[in-house]
């Protein structure tokens, strides 16, 4: 699921056109244009917080938090998602963006131009701040107009102070991360790999949760929780006072100062990736005289068979996976983290009369299958297509189908390994015990889910001509559906609103999750095979295969 975007050349004008203020403004506009051409950046900073806000509001937003229902849960949902969008923009996107420019040599060229160095960094920071403000403004507008969220005007100065200081803090940390990493992929993986787990222990995704002592201690040290608490206090209409939280502001100031110091010492303008020096092969002396016919026959190349060709593609796919740590994180580490975190925070919680730890094993298996086969697999295939790999394969002895078969087989094996890891983590961490008699049903549900998600992923590749949109569209459909398809737990398992329930019934993710729950849930009568849900998966598999076989014509 690599989402590092290609660098865009920065046009430079004559030295007369580059006074400091004009240079910063021109480069800021350029950075904003580059952001609009990056679907993944726009998804994580704007679309993802808004979609989470809408879905969680639809599920639990009307729950009253005060006597009489004057204040509802929706009042307290704007702040955490606004904080997440802000940090995503000024920490993750900023760090990745600068690392991409450095790796491509753009920063080095700008350093040697008449543009002041501070203008280059200021422009990128200003663009990230404007994107963050857009995300906050959109969430507040939707909350006020659609969910009666109150703006507590007496606490507005506290909200502005928290947003300004929090934005500056995480922008400094983003610059520090660029200085500490060597490549764009490392910066992107580290930023998202840090932000998302920390968000679960920092009152962003789990507001007011009773965390275990080590996690609560870590959350109080790191700045994200203080940012979320400071902004949330400004949206609280019940608590008296001005909403200022000096302690939270002080922690963010300390972290921001530390990030600025590290950035000042470690930030570099030249690429840090070392080019690999090819190792010269030893020359082979030609044998004197004519080559005997027997020796010529011995060295004649033998065309590999289809099985060997698919095996080569499987090995190539695994090598690519090892180099894409972000994809591995979302497909394997993230579901394992949720599986261990949620039952630890809510030890007595149940969902559909099952202990939360038992329910989450099959639901996280379904999620890992969907991410691996529907997001990571098509993103890798689209990336190979954009780089011309498929065109070169057409001119080689290897049939093109071996590439698709090898990539799908590697993704399926990766999903199987994650499923085994999830079952083991549930058994060791939550006391989960699968029913051995239902393991064949689990295997059948797994194969049906892998085939369905792979077919739909290949359909995305066929119908989206620009590969950069494949991962964005896949995540943009998968993550919202996860909240209404018995994958991510929101609330206590009560009935969903009718519109969300009918939507989940149409798409295959809920049926994959239910098939896995029936197979890996508590022991009971029957084989555990959910034939109805498997039938829906087969229907979606056929539809996806049909769409993949009939790609959209260019233009």
């Amino acid at each position: 699921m690599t989402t590092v975007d290609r660098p865009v050349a920065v046009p430079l004008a004559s030295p007369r056109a580059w006074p400091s203020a004009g240079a910063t403004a021109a480069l800021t506009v350029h950075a904003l244009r580059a952001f609009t051409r990056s679907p993944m950046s726009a998804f994580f900073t704007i679309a993802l917080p808004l979609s989470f806000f809408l879905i969680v509001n639809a599920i639990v937003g009307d729950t009253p938090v005060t006597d009489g229902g004057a204040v509802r849960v929706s009042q307290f949902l704007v702040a955490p998602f606004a904080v997440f969008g802000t940090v995503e923009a000024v920490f993750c996107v900023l760090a990745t963006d600068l690392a991409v420019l450095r790796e491509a040599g753009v920063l080095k060229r700008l350093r040697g131009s008449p543009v002041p160095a501070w203008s280059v960094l200021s422009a990128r920071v200003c663009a990230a701040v404007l994107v963050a403000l857009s995300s906050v403004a959109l969430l507040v507008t939707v909350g006020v107009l659609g969910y009666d969220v109150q703006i507590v005007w007496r606490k507005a100065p506290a909200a502005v102070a928290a947003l300004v200081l929090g934005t500056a803090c995480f922008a400094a940390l983003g610059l520090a991360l660029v200085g500490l990493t060597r490549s764009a992929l490392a910066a992107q993986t580290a930023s998202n790999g840090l932000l998302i787990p920390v968000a679960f222990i920092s009152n962003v995704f789990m507001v007011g949760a009773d965390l275990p002592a080590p996690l609560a201690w870590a959350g109080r040290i790191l700045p994200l929780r203080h940012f979320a608490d400071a902004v949330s206090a400004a949206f609280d209409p019940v608590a008296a006072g001005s909403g200022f939280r000096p302690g939270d502001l002080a922690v963010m100031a300390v972290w921001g100062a530390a990030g600025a110091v590290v950035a000042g010492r470690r930030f570099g303008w030249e690429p840090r990736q070392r080019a690999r020096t090819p190792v010269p092969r030893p020359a082979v002396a030609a044998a004197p005289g004519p080559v005997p016919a027997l020796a010529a026959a011995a060295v004649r190349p033998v065309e590999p068979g289809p099985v060997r060709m698919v095996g080569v593609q499987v090995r190539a796919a695994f090598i690519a996976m090892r180099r894409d740590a972000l994809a591995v994180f979302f497909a394997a580490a993230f579901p394992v983290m949720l599986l261990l975190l949620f039952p630890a925070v809510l030890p007595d919680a149940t969902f559909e009369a099952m202990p939360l730890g038992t329910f989450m094993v099959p639901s996280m298996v379904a999620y890992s299958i969907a991410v691996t086969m529907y997001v990571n697999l098509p993103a890798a295939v689209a990336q190979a297509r954009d780089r011309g790999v498929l065109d070169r394969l057409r001119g080689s002895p290897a049939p093109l189908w071996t590439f698709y078969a090898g990539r799908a087989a590697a993704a399926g094996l990766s999903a199987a390994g994650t499923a085994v890891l999830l079952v083991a983590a549930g058994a060791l961490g939550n006391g989960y015990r699968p029913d051995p008699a239902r393991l064949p049903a689990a295997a059948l549900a797994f194969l049906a889910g892998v085939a369905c998600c792979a077919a739909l992923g290949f359909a995305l590749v066929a119908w989206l001509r620009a590969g950069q949109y494949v991962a964005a569209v896949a995540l943009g459909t998968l993550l919202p559906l996860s909240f209404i398809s018995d994958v991510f737990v929101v609330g206590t398992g009560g009935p969903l609103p009718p519109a969300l329930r009918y939507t989940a019934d149409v798409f295959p993710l809920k049926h994959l999750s239910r098939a896995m729950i029936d197979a890996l849930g508590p022991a009971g009568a029957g084989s555990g095979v959910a034939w109805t849900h498997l039938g829906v998966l087969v229907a979606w598999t056929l539809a996806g295969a049909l769409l993949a076989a009939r790609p959209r014509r260019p233009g």
Side-chain angles (χ1 to χ4, degrees):
M1 200 170 61
T2 304
T3 61
V4 175
D5 299 306
R6 295 181 178 178
V8 181
V10 181
L12 299 179
S14 62
R16 295 179 180 178
W18 289 102
S20 298
T24 304
L27 289 174
T28 300
V29 172
H30 176 269
L32 290 174
R33 289 176 178 173
F35 173 81
T36 60
R37 298 169 185 171
S38 174
M40 289 302 297
S41 298
F43 171 76
F44 277 106
T45 56
I46 296 177
L48 183 64
L50 179 61
S51 62
F52 280 7
F53 175 75
L54 296 175
I55 292 173
V56 177
N57 256 306
I59 297 174
V60 298
D62 287 334
T63 305
V65 296
T66 59
D67 295 336
V71 180
R72 297 174 298 172
V73 170
S74 57
Q75 176 71 31
F76 299 93
L77 293 178
V78 171
F81 293 125
V83 166
F84 178 80
T86 299
V87 177
E88 183 69 39
V90 299
F91 179 65
C92 299
V93 174
L94 176 63
T96 304
D97 180 44
L98 287 173
V100 168
L101 295 178
R102 181 185 64 191
E103 190 172 304
V106 175
L107 289 185
K108 181 180 179 180
R109 294 194 294 271
L110 286 174
R111 189 76 170 101
S113 71
V115 184
W118 67 266
S119 293
V120 177
L121 295 181
S122 298
R124 292 289 161 169
V125 172
C126 288
V129 170
L130 290 175
V131 171
L133 291 178
S134 300
S135 178
V136 173
L138 180 61
L139 282 167
V140 172
T141 302
V142 172
V144 170
L145 297 180
Y147 298 95
D148 297 326
V149 172
Q150 306 173 35
I151 297 180
V152 187
W153 293 107
R154 73 177 187 277
K155 297 183 178 181
V160 173
L163 285 171
V164 169
L165 190 55
T167 300
C169 169
F170 281 94
L173 293 175
L175 294 175
L177 184 63
V178 178
L180 295 173
T181 53
R182 298 187 59 85
S183 66
L185 182 58
Q188 184 186 46
T189 303
S191 59
N192 285 282
L194 289 171
L195 173 59
I196 293 178
V198 171
F200 281 93
I201 62 173
S202 300
N203 284 345
V204 175
F205 291 154
M206 300 173 64
V207 180
D210 187 15
L211 297 172
L215 296 180
W217 178 77
R220 284 192 293 268
I221 291 177
L222 299 174
L224 184 58
R225 176 169 181 173
H226 299 278
F227 190 13
D229 289 347
V231 177
S232 297
F235 278 85
D236 189 350
V238 179
S242 62
F244 280 96
R245 296 176 66 100
D248 295 326
L249 298 179
V251 172
M252 287 190 288
V254 171
W255 274 96
V261 170
V262 174
R265 294 184 176 180
R266 296 296 303 270
F267 189 86
W269 297 80
E270 296 188 0
R272 296 179 177 178
Q273 290 277 42
R274 294 182 178 178
R276 296 183 178 179
T277 303
V279 179
R281 296 182 179 180
V284 179
V291 179
L294 183 60
V299 299
R300 182 178 299 136
V302 179
E303 184 175 342
V307 175
R308 185 174 179 182
M309 291 181 183
V310 172
V312 170
Q313 294 298 333
V314 169
R315 289 193 295 272
F318 277 119
I319 292 174
M321 288 180 191
R322 289 200 300 268
R323 296 173 179 172
D324 192 356
L326 191 62
V328 175
F329 170 78
F330 277 108
F334 182 64
V336 171
M337 180 193 72
L338 293 184
L339 176 62
L340 298 177
L341 178 62
F342 273 71
V345 175
L346 305 169
D348 299 325
T350 60
F351 199 88
E352 296 187 359
M354 283 182 276
L356 187 59
T358 299
F359 173 84
M360 288 193 66
V361 171
S363 67
M364 288 298 98
V365 170
Y367 171 79
S368 67
I369 293 172
V371 172
T372 303
M373 307 304 299
Y374 179 65
V375 180
N376 294 349
L377 173 62
V381 172
Q383 187 180 57
R385 181 186 63 188
D386 292 348
R387 291 178 175 177
V389 174
L390 300 188
D391 291 335
R392 293 194 294 271
L393 277 175
R394 289 188 177 94
S396 70
L400 193 58
W401 68 264
T402 61
F403 171 83
Y404 292 107
R407 295 304 170 111
L413 292 173
S414 176
T418 304
V420 173
L421 182 62
L422 285 165
V423 172
L428 296 175
N430 303 330
Y432 167 74
R433 294 292 181 270
D435 184 1
R438 294 189 174 192
L439 291 181
L444 184 60
F446 176 85
L447 293 175
V450 164
C452 177
C453 293
L456 294 175
F458 284 133
L460 283 183
V461 177
W463 283 77
L464 295 175
R465 307 307 301 176
Q468 61 178 340
Y469 293 103
V470 171
V473 172
L475 282 173
T477 52
L478 173 63
L479 291 180
L481 285 174
S482 297
F483 281 91
I484 60 176
S485 301
D486 297 335
V487 174
F488 292 160
V489 178
V490 178
T492 58
L496 293 171
L500 295 182
R501 186 171 66 251
Y502 297 148
T503 302
D505 289 338
V506 170
F507 289 96
L509 183 59
K510 180 177 180 178
H511 300 279
L512 172 57
S513 178
R514 299 310 309 183
M516 296 304 305
I517 290 172
D518 287 350
L520 293 177
S527 63
V529 178
W531 293 110
T532 301
H533 298 298
L534 294 178
V536 174
L537 292 177
V538 170
W540 273 98
T541 302
L542 296 176
L546 181 62
L547 291 173
R550 295 179 175 270
R552 183 175 66 88
R553 295 180 179 179

